[in-house]
Every structure is written in structure tokens, then in C-alpha cells.
């Protein structure tokens, strides 16, 4: 049976991960409010590496190389920045986009910076019996190998989603903080040990 969240936290505190299998951040998605309405056509015409096709999508897509990232800039002044591999990089990239837009003459104010999603991946380094896991944890798991090869594990505390593959690869998504990723991975590693393929 699945552990209660109190038991899970106690178990995580005692469980130690083997060296070298810490989850690595792959993508950090943040939002920022630039504090003013924006003329998207002007931004697309005057900013480098910016594209705007209002028939396809109602935002300007901007890209920078350092830190490598993409921003979606909306006419309301809201911006979504994605593609960075840390919170620091996401903050730095967001500031750069804000500065580019400010230099085009908009009265930009950088506010409400918030991490919306973090995606991390790791490998437990052993094959996993996904059918057994799905049967033992039906409240949290959905596993339909004909549709998708991974098992979807919807963790409640911390609230995020893990994609677990037979190979032992694990993708964690929906986290808002690094601690959530570490807690979730330590907990799931403990569970996966009991479903290790012999």
C-alpha cells in the first residue's frame, strides 16, 4: 500500500540516495509582469531574434543565446520565460528580455517574478516493474503502455508529476522549488527499490 504523507516525509528523511543519481534540472519556466501594455508589432519589428505571427499565436516569441532561453511576450505586459536550467539563469534571462523591451521605449517595470514549473530528470540505474507499481499504487499511478511507455505517478505532497520508465529513467515536472524535486525523487527512489526487476 502507499505511505501516508507523514510517513513519506519520515521515510524520506531516513532514506539516502546513492551518489550520482541526483535529479538534474532540465527546464525552468518563470513568469514576469513588465508593468505596462506593449505594442507587439513594434517589438517584433525592432528587436533582434523576435518573431510575431498573430494568426498563429498572440505573443511575440523572443530568443537569446546567453542564457539560452525563449520568452513569450504578451500585449498585457506579461512574459513567460522558458528553457533555462536554473532559477538564477531564468531570472537573468528575464531581466535581459525586460531590458531589450525597455530599450525600445516601453516604460518597463520588472515585477512579480515567479517560478511556475521546474522539470528535472534522473536515472535510478536499475529496471523497474511498472505493472507492479501501478497495481500497488492505483490512487497515484496511471499506466497505459499501449498509449505511452511511461508510468505517470501523481504525487500529492509535494504536488507534482513523475514520469517513470522501465529503464529506470525518471522525469519530474510541476515543481515550484528544488526542495520539492529532491523530496519527490528521494521518496520515489525508495518505492522503486521495491519494484526493481530481478
Amino acid at each position: 500500500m502507499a505511505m501516508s504523507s507523514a510517513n513519506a516525509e519520515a521515510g524520506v528523511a531516513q532514506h539516502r540516495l546513492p551518489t550520482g543519481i541526483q535529479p538534474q534540472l532540465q527546464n525552468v519556466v518563470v513568469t514576469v509582469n513588465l508593468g505596462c501594455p506593449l505594442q507587439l508589432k513594434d517589438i517584433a519589428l525592432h528587436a533582434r531574434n523576435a518573431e510575431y505571427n498573430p494568426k498563429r499565436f498572440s505573443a511575440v516569441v523572443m530568443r537569446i543565446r546567453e542564457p539560452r532561453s525563449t520568452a513569450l511576450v504578451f500585449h498585457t505586459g506579461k512574459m513567460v520565460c522558458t528553457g533555462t536550467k536554473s532559477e538564477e539563469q531564468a531570472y537573468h534571462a528575464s531581466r535581459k528580455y525586460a531590458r531589450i523591451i525597455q530599450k525600445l521605449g516601453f516604460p518597463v517595470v520588472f515585477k512579480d517574478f515567479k517560478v511556475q514549473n521546474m522539470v528535472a530528470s534522473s536515472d535510478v540505474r536499475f529496471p523497474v516493474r511498472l505493472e507492479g507499481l501501478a497495481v500497488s499504487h492505483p490512487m497515484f499511478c496511471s499506466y497505459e503502455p499501449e498509449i505511452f511507455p511511461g508510468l505517470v505517478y501523481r504525487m500529492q505532497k509535494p504536488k507534482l508529476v513523475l514520469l517513470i520508465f522501465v529503464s529506470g529513467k525518471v522525469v519530474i515536472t510541476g515543481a515550484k522549488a528544488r526542495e520539492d524535486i529532491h523530496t519527490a525523487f528521494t521518496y520515489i527512489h525508495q518505492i522503486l527499490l521495491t519494484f526493481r526487476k530481478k
Side-chain angles (χ1 to χ4, degrees), residues 89-110:
Q89 283 185 1
Y91 182 80
H92 185 61
S94 298
R95 295 291 299 196
K96 274 191 168 180
Y97 290 116
R99 188 82 183 111
I100 290 166
I101 294 166
Q102 191 177 44
K103 283 183 176 176
L104 296 176
F106 295 98
V108 168
V109 180
F110 190 87

Side-chain angles (χ1 to χ4, degrees), residues 28-47:
V28 178
V29 180
V30 298
T31 54
V32 177
N33 185 349
L34 300 177
C36 65
L38 302 169
Q39 299 300 318
L40 299 184
K41 277 186 183 166
D42 291 351
I43 294 170
L45 285 170
H46 299 103

Side-chain angles (χ1 to χ4, degrees), residues 15-16 18 124 126 128-129 188-198:
H15 185 72
R16 295 277 173 252
V124 294
F126 55 80
V128 179
R129 290 182 299 111
I188 207 70
H189 182 264
Q190 204 173 331
I191 291 171
L192 295 181
L193 283 169
T194 62
F195 294 97
R196 185 178 195 152
K197 273 190 178 175
K198 301 288 185 254

Side-chain angles (χ1 to χ4, degrees), residues 55-161:
K55 288 180 183 160
R56 276 188 38 215
F57 190 58
S58 63
V60 169
V61 179
M62 297 176 77
R63 291 183 176 85
I64 57 174
R65 287 202 180 126
E66 192 53 46
R68 189 180 183 92
S69 59
T70 301
L72 305 175
V73 183
F74 296 88
H75 74 92
T76 58
K78 300 278 196 291
M79 179 173 72
V80 178
C81 180
T82 183
T84 58
K85 297 201 183 276
S86 73
E87 304 94 309
E88 298 78 25
Q89 283 185 1
Y91 182 80
H92 185 61
S94 298
R95 295 291 299 196
K96 274 191 168 180
Y97 290 116
R99 188 82 183 111
I100 290 166
I101 294 166
Q102 191 177 44
K103 283 183 176 176
L104 296 176
F106 295 98
V108 168
V109 180
F110 190 87
K111 61 184 186 178
D112 304 332
F113 176 86
K114 186 176 180 195
V115 174
Q116 297 293 344
N117 184 20
M118 296 172 114
V119 179
S121 64
S122 193
D123 189 343
V124 294
R125 295 187 181 155
F126 55 80
V128 179
R129 290 182 299 111
L130 296 181
E131 301 83 11
L133 177 57
V135 169
S136 294
H137 294 244
M139 285 177 60
F140 308 108
C141 296
S142 105
Y143 181 51
E144 297 177 51
E146 309 82 31
I147 298 168
F148 181 67
L151 178 143
V152 179
Y153 192 101
R154 295 183 191 285
M155 196 171 281
Q156 296 304 307
K157 191 172 181 185
K159 193 168 176 59
L160 40 73
V161 175

